[in-house]
């Protein structure tokens, strides 16, 4: 059974290797979806897969890579997109 969550990450999260680190973590967790920079300086990501793997990614997104400074994470349940990979947009 697949579940999906969308997160918006606030703080110093652009220009700190956040998206590529997220892609690597998602691939390791077996999660599909995407991650993108937003014009307002946040990062938005869609995680899809087994519930425990999605939870793992949301927990990772709360900290991000060592170069990031996550101040807040907004999470919401999302409709599955049924992709086959995790991509940086």
């Amino acid at each position: 059974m697949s579940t999906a969550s969308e997160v918006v990450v606030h703080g110093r999260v652009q220009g700190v290797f956040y998206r590529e680190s997220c892609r690597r973590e998602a691939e390791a967790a077996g999660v599909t979806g995407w991650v993108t920079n937003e014009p307002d300086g946040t990062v938005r990501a869609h995680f899809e897969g087994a519930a425990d793997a999605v939870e793992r990614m949301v927990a990772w997104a709360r900290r991000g890579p060592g170069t990031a400074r996550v101040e807040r994470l907004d999470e919401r349940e999302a409709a599955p997109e049924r992709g086959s990979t995790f991509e940086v947009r």
Side-chain angles (χ1 to χ4, degrees):
M1 186 85 180
S2 186
T3 187
S5 286
E6 190 167 304
V7 298
V8 177
V9 188
H10 302 260
R12 195 182 84 194
V13 292
Q14 289 190 13
V16 293
F17 208 58
Y18 194 101
R19 293 177 300 156
E20 181 58 24
S21 298
C22 185
R23 182 192 64 77
R24 291 178 184 179
E25 290 290 327
E27 288 180 352
V31 170
T32 61
W34 48 265
V35 61
T36 189
N37 283 341
E38 294 290 341
D40 65 359
T42 62
V43 168
R44 181 179 302 270
H46 177 90
F47 303 128
E48 188 169 333
D52 61 332
V54 170
E55 288 174 20
R56 172 181 162 181
M57 286 307 303
V58 172
W60 179 88
R62 288 186 195 286
R63 346 178 264 289
T67 52
R69 189 181 73 242
V70 176
E71 295 173 358
R72 186 175 96 231
L73 181 133
D74 301 327
E75 178 187 9
R76 69 174 184 83
E77 189 175 321
E81 295 179 357
R82 309 220 189 294
S84 60
T85 62
F86 193 91
E87 66 182 52
V88 174
R89 294 183 175 171

